[in-house]
Amino acid sequence: MELYNTLALLLVAAAVFGYINHRFLRLPATIGLMVLALVSSLVAIGLGRLGVPWVVTASRLVRGLDFHTILMQVMLSFLLFAGAIHVDVRTLGRERVAVAALATVGTLLSTIIVATAVYVVLPLLYQPVDFIYCLLFGALISPTDPIAVLGILKEARINKSLEIKIVGESLFNDGIAVVVFVSLFQIAEFGAERATAAVIGELFLREAVGGIALGAALGYAAFWALRTIDHYQVEVLITLALVMGGTALAAALHTSGPLAIVVAGLIVGDKGRSLGMSDLTREYLDKFWEILDEMLNAVLFVLIGLEMLVLDINRTVLLMGALAVGITLAARLVSVAVPLSVLRRYYHFDRPTLRVLTWGGLRGGISVALALSLPDSMPRDLLVGITYVVVIFSIIVQGLTIGPLVKRLGLSSPEPDPGH
């Protein structure tokens, strides 16, 4: 019953906050839900100090949640697949070099820049931390979050070329982020001698390359199955089985589940939707994954807001978090500008594009989940608190302003794209 009560709490909170936001606040759904969850958490903290029984119970339920497991092993694959099946694969193919450069070189550059800056700043606040832990923070905060990006860009009406760069990067940089994070984690826990170039290379091949290969195999298998029948209930079930079974298989093979599901989703969304489905099946498939995507997004952003109930965020963490916001934005600017400068002879990148790519690189639940996976033997509470401040700023401030920025720079599409 404890698990049922926890899920009931999250769904009821998501429904209530969703109603309030839609009826009164009119904010983008993900942002409105998280703002209301944050405010509710602050109110609940105050009531909890007064000993109000139901608040204490709710806090205990939230504290018992394993955020890392819920997001990374349960929710993430569904959210990534729901986003990937609506990506324009042909446009993504034209932008593949830029997307690959941002997802690889950009992530590594950002990790190093953030780590170095944090290592210099923390002692000034009397919170010195070993450089390896600063690198861990750089690795977990550098990748843009596909869930946050996809949710916010639906409202921004950004032009197709720029949208595909941001979405494509955020969908594919998970593999690099996981390899970098796990490699640094091994160094922090066991020493540099256990994380040799051979070990890291094997990890990259198994996680990233293996995940992409597995996703391609699963995607084409699903496409073949979809093409041989015309029964929308079974076809929707096939896509659901693809996500759940593919995630479990990736875990068993120790490859990247997120990358596998993204690649499979791109194949099903491109070939499956155009060549393997009737109009009726396509309509039902879109509606099913749209509802599932909205529901899980609602629960995720409510959960991020409710995490305030169990995190210990003091003045030092808030100050360091505020500094980290500036650091991560500066690192994002450099990590976008450098790869794009190298590619300038092949692609046209102007200053407005650079601004949107920098400001549109949102951090979200994945960063929080990676931070919460750190053990207590590391400076976990400090890094989790700083990560949380950066994520809250990213989703609320950057999320609310990316749309107006796009319009002011003249980069918005004249009409909303119904496919996104």
Side-chain angles (χ1 to χ4, degrees):
M1 285 301 292
E2 188 84 357
L3 176 61
Y4 179 84
N5 290 338
T6 303
L7 292 175
L9 169 68
L10 291 174
L11 284 172
V12 169
V16 172
F17 295 157
Y19 175 83
I20 294 172
N21 179 60
H22 185 77
R23 181 78 186 273
F24 302 108
L25 298 183
R26 302 286 183 177
L27 293 172
T30 50
I31 298 175
L33 287 167
M34 198 179 72
V35 168
L36 288 168
L38 277 171
V39 172
S40 300
S41 295
L42 294 173
V43 172
I45 289 171
L47 293 174
R49 289 176 178 170
L50 299 176
V52 178
W54 67 266
V55 174
V56 175
T57 302
S59 299
R60 181 171 52 81
L61 289 174
V62 174
R63 194 178 299 276
L65 284 171
D66 186 341
F67 186 101
H68 179 266
T69 300
I70 290 173
L71 175 58
M72 301 299 286
Q73 297 181 21
V74 179
M75 296 175 66
L76 182 59
S77 293
F78 292 99
L79 292 162
L80 290 176
F81 186 83
I85 59 174
H86 292 114
V87 171
D88 187 334
V89 174
R90 289 169 181 78
T91 306
L92 180 62
R94 289 195 294 270
E95 304 289 349
R96 62 186 180 277
V97 176
V99 168
L102 291 170
T104 54
V105 177
T107 301
L108 292 171
L109 260 179
S110 178
T111 297
I112 295 169
I113 294 168
V114 170
T116 304
V118 169
Y119 183 70
V120 171
V121 169
L122 277 175
L124 302 178
L125 300 175
Y126 306 103
Q127 295 283 343
V129 170
D130 290 345
F131 187 62
I132 185 62
Y133 300 130
C134 296
L135 282 170
L136 272 174
F137 174 73
L140 67 88
I141 207 67
S142 289
T144 54
D145 190 321
I147 302 161
V149 168
L150 287 165
I152 301 304
L153 287 185
K154 286 178 184 177
E155 312 280 340
R157 288 175 56 184
I158 195 168
N159 73 50
K160 181 65 68 176
S161 174
L162 192 50
E163 178 190 359
I164 206 71
K165 289 185 184 72
I166 298 175
V167 172
E169 176 201 2
S170 64
L171 285 171
F172 280 102
N173 63 12
D174 283 349
I176 298 299
V178 168
V179 171
V180 174
F181 182 83
V182 171
S183 301
L184 292 170
F185 187 87
Q186 288 182 348
I187 294 173
E189 200 163 41
F190 304 115
E193 65 277 0
R194 294 282 294 275
T196 62
V199 170
I200 293 173
E202 180 189 351
L203 183 65
F204 177 79
L205 286 173
R206 189 175 68 244
E207 286 279 347
V209 179
I212 291 171
L214 175 62
L218 292 173
Y220 278 106
F223 166 57
W224 175 84
L226 293 169
R227 195 174 185 179
T228 55
I229 62 171
D230 183 15
H231 191 273
Y232 74 84
Q233 292 98 327
V234 176
E235 291 179 80
V236 171
L237 186 61
I238 287 172
T239 62
L240 190 60
L242 168 64
V243 174
M244 298 185 71
T247 302
L249 181 58
L253 296 175
H254 302 289
T255 63
S256 172
L259 274 179
I261 296 304
V262 166
V263 172
L266 291 173
I267 292 170
V268 170
D270 180 41
K271 293 186 175 297
R273 282 166 55 85
S274 61
L275 302 174
M277 299 179 193
S278 65
D279 291 340
L280 181 64
T281 296
R282 198 177 301 116
E283 180 183 358
Y284 275 98
L285 184 80
D286 288 346
K287 287 180 178 177
F288 173 81
W289 282 102
E290 182 183 354
I291 291 171
L292 193 61
D293 183 39
E294 292 291 335
M295 185 178 70
L296 291 177
N297 257 303
V299 171
L300 172 61
F301 283 89
V302 165
L303 188 54
I304 292 175
L306 292 179
E307 279 292 307
M308 180 68 80
L309 284 170
V310 298
L311 295 179
D312 181 22
I313 298 182
N314 52 40
R315 289 181 182 178
T316 301
V317 170
L318 283 174
L319 178 57
M320 188 57 226
L323 293 172
V325 167
I327 290 169
T328 53
L329 284 173
R332 172 70 180 171
L333 176 62
V334 174
S335 64
V336 169
V338 170
L340 297 192
S341 297
V342 174
L343 296 173
R344 190 173 293 278
R345 65 168 60 182
Y346 307 106
Y347 292 90
H348 171 67
F349 299 111
D350 50 21
R351 188 169 294 178
T353 299
L354 181 60
R355 289 178 185 172
V356 174
L357 282 169
T358 301
W359 197 248
L362 306 182
R363 274 71 178 183
I366 291 176
S367 293
V368 175
L370 289 175
L372 288 169
S373 71
L374 296 172
D376 292 332
S377 58
M378 299 180 184
R380 180 180 184 273
D381 290 345
L382 176 64
L383 297 182
V384 168
I386 296 171
T387 301
Y388 195 75
V389 173
V390 174
V391 167
I392 296 300
F393 175 89
S394 178
I395 294 173
I396 295 178
V397 179
Q398 292 175 242
L400 282 175
T401 55
I402 185 65
L405 176 64
V406 167
K407 290 176 184 176
R408 188 166 66 85
L409 295 174
L411 297 173
S412 58
S413 300
E415 296 178 1
D417 186 346
H420 290 271

